[in-house]
Amino acid sequence: MAVTRFILVRHGETAWNREGRYQGQMDIPLNPLGMEQGRKVAEALKDVPIDSCYASPLARSFDTATMCAERHGLPVHKDERLLEINHGEWEGLLASDVKELYPELLAAWHTTVTNVVMPGGEDIEAVRRRSMAALQDYTEKHVGQTLLVVAHDAVNKAVLCDILDVDLTHFWQMKQDNTCINVLEYQDGKWRLVLMNSTVHLGFLFSGIEQKGL
């Protein structure tokens, strides 16, 4: 069977990323740096053959994907299964606020990860199931093609845990910086990780930047 290649990207920076504020499924746009990061990743991928593009419908991911897709004359297909984890009542709160209001739950989220459900939100297993269902659908629809998929920090980490067949408790051992590039391959029912969290395209933009996965 032919190899199906995925270029999995995280969205560019937002003001809430910069502030350390939980975004979840709140539709926060890219900030000026995030727009520049989007242009940088689009430039890096302009000569890479891409057959189709998918993105989370949230503006920060969709707009990052659009900058890339325009270089190839392609539309971006929105897929709600690629939405960021639902942080529930944490959304809009600073990390320091969450630590004060939900100290035990936050501690569990930053350690075990699994079986942690934010009040009114969802757990990481739900994110893994829906995001991998999306990717599996793409493997059937786009056999032998190269796809651009632009999503979010938690989504990307859940996908990486799944394809590497490691427990979701390894979630925090993986880093996904803004507009990082991951390359995955699918062939004969098996996944292979080719590249993870590459930010070389950002150059000086990346130097000294503290990027938060909220």
Side-chain angles (χ1 to χ4, degrees):
M1 184 179 291
V3 175
T4 303
R5 184 170 290 106
F6 290 81
I7 301 171
L8 178 64
V9 172
R10 184 188 175 198
H11 61 79
E13 187 186 81
T14 71
W16 282 19
N17 283 144
R18 173 65 59 170
E19 295 169 8
R21 195 178 295 275
Y22 282 84
Q23 296 182 117
Q25 297 183 1
M26 297 288 285
D27 202 2
I28 310 304
L30 297 172
N31 65 11
L33 177 58
M35 292 293 293
E36 181 62 19
Q37 291 169 336
R39 288 188 285 268
K40 289 281 187 179
V41 73
E43 177 67 18
L45 297 175
K46 67 181 176 62
D47 295 323
V48 177
I50 295 175
D51 298 293
S52 193
C53 302
Y54 291 87
S56 158
L58 297 177
R60 57 190 185 270
S61 290
F62 183 78
D63 291 349
T64 301
T66 298
M67 283 185 266
C68 298
E70 286 176 344
R71 299 295 191 100
H72 300 269
L74 295 170
V76 178
H77 305 287
K78 295 181 179 181
D79 191 336
E80 292 192 353
R81 293 174 296 181
L82 300 174
L83 281 167
E84 179 60 297
I85 187 171
N86 185 342
H87 285 304
E89 294 177 12
W90 293 10
E91 294 184 2
L93 297 179
L94 291 168
S96 57
D97 297 329
V98 174
K99 185 176 182 179
E100 181 177 347
L101 294 169
Y102 305 94
E104 294 182 1
L105 193 60
L106 181 64
W109 169 243
H110 281 161
T111 52
T112 60
V113 181
T114 55
N115 300 318
V116 176
V117 182
M118 292 82 166
E122 63 181 334
D123 65 5
I124 194 62
E125 173 60 23
V127 176
R128 185 198 66 80
R129 287 196 303 269
R130 59 176 167 83
S131 56
M132 285 308 301
L135 265 61
Q136 289 292 349
D137 284 351
Y138 306 158
T139 64
E140 296 173 8
K141 185 177 180 180
H142 301 281
V143 176
Q145 296 184 347
T146 297
L147 311 179
L148 173 68
V149 178
V150 182
H152 302 269
D153 181 64
V155 170
N156 290 10
K157 289 177 180 178
V159 165
L160 290 167
C161 284
D162 190 281
I163 70 162
L164 291 173
D165 196 25
V166 299
D167 192 89
L168 284 165
T169 54
H170 294 282
F171 179 90
W172 292 113
Q173 293 175 265
M174 299 179 182
K175 194 174 183 184
Q176 289 292 284
D177 291 302
N178 290 119
T179 68
C180 68
I181 296 173
N182 308 277
V183 179
L184 325 174
E185 292 181 346
Y186 182 84
Q187 184 180 30
D188 297 331
K190 295 182 180 179
W191 288 95
R192 178 167 53 240
L193 177 61
V194 179
L195 180 69
M196 186 171 76
N197 198 43
S198 175
T199 54
V200 66
H201 54 280
L202 296 180
F204 73 93
L205 284 177
F206 185 70
S207 179
I209 292 175
E210 177 71 21
Q211 299 196 326
K212 299 179 175 64
L214 300 180

